[in-house]
Structure formats: structure tokens, C-alpha cells
Amino acid sequence: MNGRNAGNTELKQNLQAQLLSSGVGAAREKAIQRALNNVNKPGFKLEPSAILPLMKPVTWFPPMWAFACGVVSTGEDIASNWSILLRGVILAGPLMCAMSQTMNDYFDREVDAINEPDRPIPAGKISKQASWIITFTLIMTGFLVAWSIHPYVMAIAFVGVLMSHAYSGPPIRAKRNGWFGNLIVGLAYEGVAWLTGSFAITQGVPSSESIALAIIFSIGAHGIMTLNDFKSVVGDNIRKVASIPVQLGEKKAAILASVIMDIAQLVAIGILLAKSAYLMSGIAILLLAFQLPMQKTLIDNPKEKAVWYNAFGTLLYVLSMMVCAIGIRP
């Protein structure tokens, strides 16, 4: 046995021991080992049916919604600007967000092999070379759509690509630390998308209230991203990715996520009150109140309830975004 083979055998044995100590069963461990063999396999492979799962459509909603909030916050007539709204929503979700997901899957393929071995690259349905072609196609298409809205929007899209690479790829790879990585995603998915929506309609500097809400809800999205990291704790521990649940433990991470989201909404409600938008303030307060008992359930059992809260509790948070966007309309 040569040195390289001996080293690979030792790595596999160490990984097997780590998986078993994390409570991973034998069948799952075999699937992970198979996925790890797939992620760096040479050659080109592209199963068309795997392209959409690689782009993760379930993640498109937040930036699409934030773009729509930015549009609504301007007070402009949506019916007369429907083309910009449609192109902007497509840009924010099926193009730029999908691009960030395919890029992340490339750089995260070895972590995904442990956390989600059924993802397209670990499953061997899409090679890493093919995933880059998909990413590049999405980038170029996104630039064309962004240019059709306004040249400045294409510049913003370019910044979005840089943010995606800073989050997922070397040398920064901000996702290695949940404090920074989650903030970048929150800013990209919520803040940049919101302000792009506002600019696309008015082609001018957004209002101070709109800028403030975009920043506030971006910071609050840090909590949403923390909850999203609960599903990856095993792989993050093994691959030394310092997500918030890994750093603080699951219970403290759940508390932190809830507090950040609540504070963001309270500050946003303060802006509505300052604008004398009392009806929208009341609705936002009710949405926050409904989240509190759900957060208690999350904190009591974070490992089991993180996915549940991300589906239902987060929905109330994003509804509050639109309520606030309506409340600051001129």
C-alpha cells in the first residue's frame, strides 16, 4: 500500500469514527462515503432533472419578496410598473439567488456530502465542472435582465455575485464563521434586494425610511440564517464550519436567533410609529406577538423544531416586512 492510499484509508476511518460518534447510522454512513467519492470525481456529468434541485427554488422567495417590498415602499403605482416588478422578481429569485445556491453547492460539496448526500453534486447527478457552467449561465442571464431594468441594477447584480463568492468561496469564505456569513446573506437576500426594488421603480435614491428598513430586516435575517444552519450541525462540526449552532450550542443559538428577529421587528415598528402609521404598526405588533409562543416552542426543542419554525415562524417575519413597506409609503 502506497502512502497516498494509506492516507486516504486513515481519513475514511477518522470520518467513520466521527460520524458514528455523532449518531449517524451505518446505512447513512455508507451513503456519505459514496457521496464524498462523487463530489470530486473527474469528468463531466449533467442530468437535466437535477438542475432545478441544484438551484434550490425554496430559497428564492426571500429575495423576491424583499424586492417586492422595496417596490411597494416607494408608493408608486405598481400596475404601471408591472414589467419592472416582474423582471426584478425574476432577477432576485430564479437568477441571482439560484446563482448563489449553485455556487454555494460547488464550494460546499464536501460538507453537503455529509449533511445532504442526496444533493445533486454529492449524489453524482451533476459534476462539479457542470455546476460551474450552470452558475456562469445564471450570472450572464442575470446581468442581461438587470441591464434591461437599468445599468445601475446590473452594477448591483455584479456586487451580488461578489457577495455570493465572498460567502461561499476562497479566500474569504465568510460562511466559515456564522457571525459574518449570516450577515452577508441577510444583506444580500433582504437589504440589497429591497433597495434594488426601490431604485428600479424610482431610479433615484430610496427614502431614508426605506433604507433603514432594508438594513433592519437584513440584520434580523441573521436569525433566519442561524435557524437554517441547524440542519447542518453534524457536517459543520466535522468540517470545522463555525456556524452559530456549532459555536453556541443549539439552545443558545435558538435564543439568539429569536432575539435578533424580535429586535429587528421592534425597531421597524418604531419607524412606523414615527411615521404615524398606526394601523400598520398594530398589524406588525400582532405579527410579532404571534411569533413569541412559537419561539418558546423552538427554544424548548431547537433540534426538532428549527425546520418547523423556519417554515411557519419566519413567514410571520416576512409578512411584517411587507406591512412595514406599506406603512412607510409616501
Side-chain angles (χ1 to χ4, degrees):
M1 180 182 293
N2 60 38
R4 183 176 180 180
N5 288 336
N8 288 338
T9 300
E10 184 178 353
L11 286 173
K12 288 183 178 181
Q13 290 174 344
N14 289 338
L15 176 61
Q16 184 179 33
Q18 289 176 305
L19 291 172
L20 292 175
S21 67
S22 300
V24 174
R28 174 83 172 178
E29 187 267 332
K30 288 182 180 179
I32 290 171
Q33 294 286 5
R34 185 165 55 249
L36 286 169
N37 290 331
N38 286 333
V39 294
N40 292 312
K41 186 179 294 185
F44 183 91
K45 186 172 184 179
L46 178 59
E47 294 185 13
S49 62
I51 295 176
L52 193 60
L54 182 73
M55 294 162 61
K56 288 188 182 177
V58 70
T59 66
W60 300 350
F61 175 75
M64 292 167 67
W65 184 257
F67 185 94
C69 287
V71 170
V72 170
S73 71
T74 65
E76 298 291 330
D77 179 36
I78 294 177
S80 61
N81 292 286
W82 67 269
S83 176
I84 292 177
L85 176 60
L86 178 62
R87 281 176 285 162
V89 166
I90 292 172
L91 174 67
L95 293 174
M96 299 312 293
C97 182
M99 173 277 302
S100 72
Q101 295 300 328
T102 60
M103 183 183 292
N104 185 67
D105 267 30
Y106 173 85
F107 288 115
D108 255 13
R109 59 190 185 277
E110 293 181 352
V111 177
D112 284 346
I114 298 172
N115 292 323
E116 301 177 88
D118 293 330
R119 292 290 302 155
I121 298 176
K125 297 177 180 178
I126 295 179
S127 64
K128 63 179 183 178
Q129 295 87 347
S131 73
W132 263 121
I133 292 177
I134 295 170
T135 299
F136 184 76
T137 301
L138 290 169
I139 290 173
M140 291 297 101
T141 306
F143 284 169
L144 290 174
V145 173
W147 180 270
S148 76
I149 298 173
H150 193 281
Y152 286 172
V153 175
M154 193 184 81
I156 295 170
F158 180 73
V159 173
V161 173
L162 294 181
M163 293 177 73
S164 295
H165 192 277
Y167 173 73
S168 300
I172 298 176
R173 193 160 164 77
K175 72 173 299 172
R176 289 180 297 188
N177 188 302
W179 297 103
F180 305 116
N182 290 359
L183 182 60
I184 287 179
V185 174
L187 289 171
Y189 277 29
E190 307 295 353
V192 172
W194 179 305
L195 295 177
T196 303
S198 179
F199 172 81
I201 296 296
T202 64
Q203 296 186 8
V205 177
S207 68
S208 57
E209 293 90 352
S210 186
I211 293 172
L213 287 179
I215 294 172
I216 288 164
F217 282 114
S218 294
I219 294 172
H222 191 287
I224 297 174
M225 293 306 301
T226 295
L227 295 176
N228 189 57
D229 286 337
F230 274 76
K231 71 179 187 300
S232 306
V233 170
V234 173
D236 288 347
N237 268 310
I238 292 173
R239 293 294 180 182
K240 308 302 180 186
V241 176
S243 66
I244 301 299
V246 168
Q247 292 187 54
L248 301 183
E250 293 173 350
K251 188 175 185 69
K252 289 181 180 178
I255 294 172
L256 177 70
S258 300
V259 169
I260 289 176
M261 294 169 70
D262 292 349
I263 290 176
Q265 290 172 88
L266 286 171
V267 176
I269 290 167
I271 291 175
L272 294 184
L273 291 172
K275 286 277 292 184
S276 301
Y278 299 120
L279 176 59
M280 294 298 106
S281 298
I283 296 173
I285 290 170
L286 282 175
L287 289 171
L288 176 57
F290 287 140
Q291 292 170 59
L292 298 179
M294 300 174 72
Q295 289 172 355
K296 183 180 184 305
T297 301
L298 166 69
I299 292 167
D300 288 342
N301 189 3
K303 186 173 183 178
E304 298 296 329
K305 294 298 182 179
V307 174
W308 165 81
Y309 188 86
N310 234 348
F312 298 103
T314 300
L315 174 62
L316 301 179
Y317 178 91
V318 298
L319 287 175
S320 184
M321 290 173 58
M322 184 60 76
V323 168
C324 292
I326 295 170
I328 65 168
R329 287 163 62 96

